[in-house]
Amino acid sequence: MSRITGTIDIDFETGEDITEEQFIHFKNKLNNIMNGWEMEIDDVAEQCGFEADDMHPIILDSIDCDY
């Protein structure tokens, strides 16, 4: 049995000040995107000839903003 693992790192700057409300909205949208990635990963694995069995949910462990 093979195991595939990886890490996604989000690191960017913006020229505008971000409010806490904007950041919370951004974080919620990212979590929604990650929920969709699980199905896409399953589809990609199938297209490559194998199944993604026993997949753990993709979770945004932590994300921070320097306001």
Side-chain angles (χ1 to χ4, degrees):
M1 172 190 300
S2 298
R3 183 178 188 102
I4 298 173
T5 59
T7 302
I8 296 172
D9 184 42
I10 300 169
D11 184 5
F12 68 87
E13 294 182 17
T14 178
E16 301 175 25
D17 290 335
I18 297 174
T19 66
E20 184 174 1
E21 182 179 325
Q22 288 173 310
F23 178 67
I24 290 170
H25 185 64
F26 176 77
K27 185 175 164 180
N28 290 338
K29 290 224 175 245
L30 281 180
N31 278 316
N32 287 337
I33 289 169
M34 290 191 205
N35 289 335
W37 279 355
E38 289 179 37
M39 291 301 297
E40 291 199 30
I41 289 171
D42 192 52
D43 291 345
V44 168
E46 186 176 321
Q47 291 169 12
C48 293
F50 57 90
E51 292 182 18
D53 295 328
D54 193 28
M55 188 185 318
H56 296 278
I58 298 171
I59 298 172
L60 184 61
D61 288 335
S62 69
I63 185 166
D64 300 305
C65 178
D66 182 6
Y67 300 104

